[in-house]
Amino acid sequence: MSPKLQTQGLCKRYGDTLALAPTDLRVESGEFLTLLGPSGSGKTTLLQMIAGLVAPTEGSLHIDGKDATRMPASERGIGLVFQSYALFPHLTVQENIAYPLRMRKVAAARLAADVAEVLEMVRMGEYANRYPHELSGGQQQRVALARCFVYRPSVVLLDEPLGALDKKLREHMQLEIRRLHKVLKATFIYVTHDQEEALTMSDRICLMNRARIEQLGTPLELYDRPVSRFAANFLGNSNILEGRLGDGGLAWKDRTLPLPPANGTASGDNWADSGDGTAALLVRPETARLCTPEQALVQGTVSQVVFTGADVRVHIDPGCDFEFLVRSTRDRAPTPGDPVGVTWNPGEAVLLQR
């Protein structure tokens, strides 16, 4: 089955600056793909080339099997939603949503029916006659989404559309956009630098770094099995223990830490290292647990305990240049200054490839 959208060697340079290295990406029909990464990672450049707003330096883009590399943006059948809602202040909600249909010269009867349908879809029917300044930020964002959805694009591009909203409203709108994706059955490509947003909404995440794809996979794959230090640090909290690989495990400080099983063994032979025998072991704070020093894989002293509401984050100083973080329950939280041990299931740790 051919993909909805595919790039092959798609690249963008501005003089000597590489905005996007040659990139191969396949997006399936009906998929929700998130382009995630820090500023300058290339995610917005990639989105803009898919939209037709930026011409690639080299490479190709195909939509529904057709070469769209040089196709005008207006002919690509793509919908766009930006962080700035760009609503017309002098038009009502209903008129804003109808605008794309008027530009396409849709008949009046069909236009009215389509606008009514999409107003219901985004739950804004009772606000049809209000103006943008009479709406909250979340309501304005719904109107912007409705204006995009009303002409039924098969590909919807969303460039950090929730960045201007407060945390609680942003979390609500994440679920709303996910719901609308299922209703429309369109292909969504979503740009964000917010890791929680990406984990919550995506079928797959394309993690980008330094104008390249760092890792591509499901949210679970990227979180549980990051391939690099960058991926481990960017998604979630991380404890990364740097040491030297040996037959017995990872030599770290004055002890040897067990390696996660690889191909049925606990040997490091099947894992990539940095080329000089050193490697990095990732232990997520939620997979680590506090224990007595006698049971510990890592020992240290509690430096601080931070209450976050859902849990307690215990920062432990193991006597080197980083702090080990453990997520704990409130009833088991130690006190700063306490000597503690930390242990984990080796199968839940990850030996990073780079």
Side-chain angles (χ1 to χ4, degrees), residues 151-170:
Y151 58 94
R152 299 286 177 168
S154 61
V155 178
V156 177
L157 308 180
L158 304 102
D159 191 2
E160 307 216 34
L162 307 183
L165 305 181
D166 64 68
K167 179 176 172 57
K168 197 160 189 177
L169 182 55
R170 190 165 66 245

Side-chain angles (χ1 to χ4, degrees), residues 2 6 69 83 95 100 111 146 159 183-184 195 258 290 319 326 344:
S2 61
Q6 186 168 19
T69 312
Q83 181 175 339
E95 291 166 340
L111 183 149
D159 191 2
V183 171
L184 285 173
Q195 53 165 291
L290 300 174
V326 178
W344 60 85

